Amino acid sequence: MTNRSAPHGDGHPITLGLDTFGDVTNDAQGRPLTHAETIRNLVEEGILADQVGLDHFAIGEHHTDWMPLSAADVVLAAIASRTSRIRLGSGVTVISSDDPVRVYQRYATLDAISNGRAEVILGRGSSTESFPLFGYELGDYDRLFEEKVSLFAELLKEKPVSWSGTTRPSLNGLSVFPHSESGAIPTWLGVGGSPESVVRTARHGFSLMLAVIGGPTARFAPFADLFREALDKLGQPARPVGVHSPGHVAATDEQAVAEFWPHYESTMRMVARQRGFRAPTFEHFGHDVGPDGALYVGSPETVARKIATTLRTLGASRFDLKYGMNGLPHEELMTTIELFGTQVAPLVRDMMTS
């Protein structure tokens, strides 16, 4: 693994990585690439993340025309076969609309292929396309999540499982294979702002990944504190807190904004129409790009300084940059990855030890 800074906050070392939703990219003429080209490019992006020394590379599950990454574990297996050290995981797996047994089996298999580098981030998912696709009712949203997370926690023990619920058939002392060589696949729960989910994360023995995608980052500090308090009350050891936020890195602040904003605006307008909220203005975007906001868009020094501030504010030890946006060219994504690994990450580690 790369040289990491000294332990931070809860005693865990600083780790830095990338995650992506596999947004469809454009060619040099601004035309969208095919789904197949986008996925092949994503494999190259994961390989580059390993080459530039990053600690994590994660792919979030989506089921849309403009985010066609519905089988993240397959892509991660392709990346695993061409890398040697970077950790590979989901970011996130929509556990509510999947079968926890199959999720466990797929990532245990990835763990074998990657020689112990697999991890899982479970979440509700902010998109709901998978629910009708697999025959689930949105009215069961909370029950599906709670039950399936509890089953996954049992599966991670890699012992015969006895479990019953209302959302899938019971398991009566059944073993699930393959087992991992380490005996436990690192698992995180993605949380977007629910205190109940924070406590659930601690109760099941997972690590906490805070999805900070808008507004002031500091508003998530109480959730990180609650997580540590819950672990203490439950008599559990300290576990790491991570942060996932969108961003884009270029040579200068001005270039990063110029490249990212048009694609961010068009994507957010599309999402706003689908979900019924107001699309952000450039003024709102500027606030989120500023020192207190949740967008990490700028030069390597600007982004590094903001990440270091975020880690200190939240007492977190992991930061994953959600890179990419619908329509951004593959070449610009590769530049972001290279700059993040070769310049941003070393700067953050230096800042966190000074």
Side-chain angles (χ1 to χ4, degrees), residues 213 245-265 282 284-307 310 319 321-325 328 332 336 339-340 344:
I213 60 175
S245 289
H248 183 73
V249 189
T252 67
D253 292 347
E254 294 77 14
Q255 181 181 348
V257 168
E259 291 176 353
F260 190 74
W261 162 248
H263 301 284
Y264 179 82
E265 180 188 29
F282 186 75
H284 183 273
F285 171 78
H287 177 77
D288 270 355
V289 169
D292 301 322
L295 293 179
Y296 295 72
V297 178
S299 67
E301 183 176 355
T302 294
V303 172
R305 186 165 54 247
K306 191 168 179 177
I307 291 172
T310 294
F319 183 91
L321 183 78
K322 188 277 169 187
Y323 76 96
M325 193 60 61
L328 269 170
E332 292 179 11
T336 284
L339 290 174
F340 193 76
V344 175

Side-chain angles (χ1 to χ4, degrees), residues 91-285:
V92 305
T93 292
V94 184
I95 192 70
S96 306
S97 58
D98 211 331
D99 183 345
V101 173
R102 293 297 288 143
V103 172
Y104 167 81
Q105 289 177 321
R106 296 197 302 265
Y107 280 89
T109 302
L110 174 64
D111 198 61
I113 292 170
S114 65
N115 195 26
R117 291 184 283 135
E119 60 182 20
V120 182
I121 301 176
L122 305 174
R124 297 172 183 268
S126 61
S127 300
T128 58
E129 292 85 1
S130 61
F131 284 77
L133 190 63
F134 299 115
Y136 292 102
E137 296 292 335
L138 283 174
D140 295 330
Y141 189 80
D142 291 326
R143 182 162 56 95
L144 284 164
F145 185 66
E146 172 61 39
E147 287 195 4
K148 293 191 176 188
V149 166
S150 70
L151 173 54
F152 195 84
E154 291 301 312
L155 293 165
L156 286 174
K157 298 174 184 177
E158 300 189 352
K159 297 178 180 179
V161 177
S162 294
W163 178 93
S164 63
T166 62
T167 56
R168 61 146 288 144
S170 299
L171 296 177
N172 299 306
L174 295 180
S175 296
V176 179
F177 305 106
H179 289 169
S180 65
E181 288 181 326
S182 68
I185 299 171
T187 301
W188 302 65
L189 204 66
V191 175
S194 163
E196 293 78 13
S197 289
V198 172
V199 174
R200 179 188 292 112
T201 305
R203 187 173 72 248
H204 287 306
F206 301 146
S207 299
L208 178 68
M209 180 62 72
L210 295 170
V212 186
I213 60 175
T217 299
R219 68 191 174 93
F220 282 80
F223 296 107
D225 292 339
L226 175 61
F227 179 61
R228 287 183 279 267
E229 292 169 6
L231 287 172
D232 186 58
K233 288 181 180 178
L234 291 165
Q236 293 202 25
R239 300 186 187 280
V241 174
V243 185
H244 149 109
S245 289
H248 183 73
V249 189
T252 67
D253 292 347
E254 294 77 14
Q255 181 181 348
V257 168
E259 291 176 353
F260 190 74
W261 162 248
H263 301 284
Y264 179 82
E265 180 188 29
S266 62
T267 298
M268 293 306 292
R269 285 189 180 280
M270 176 173 58
V271 174
R273 288 194 299 270
Q274 294 172 349
R275 303 187 188 178
F277 62 81
R278 182 179 298 176
T281 64
F282 186 75
E283 181 181 7
H284 183 273
F285 171 78

Side-chain angles (χ1 to χ4, degrees), residues 36-90:
E37 290 172 304
T38 296
I39 291 170
R40 287 193 292 269
N41 283 343
L42 181 53
V43 174
E44 298 304 318
E45 291 160 17
I47 293 167
L48 179 60
D50 180 70
Q51 292 171 345
V52 298
L54 291 169
D55 298 302
H56 310 274
F57 189 82
I59 300 174
E61 173 192 347
H62 283 84
H63 301 264
T64 67
D65 180 46
W66 53 285
M67 292 186 293
L69 261 296
S70 55
D73 51 291
V74 177
V75 182
L76 292 167
I79 296 170
S81 71
R82 297 175 60 187
T83 58
S84 60
R85 42 153 302 281
I86 195 167
R87 295 202 65 85
L88 302 167
S90 64

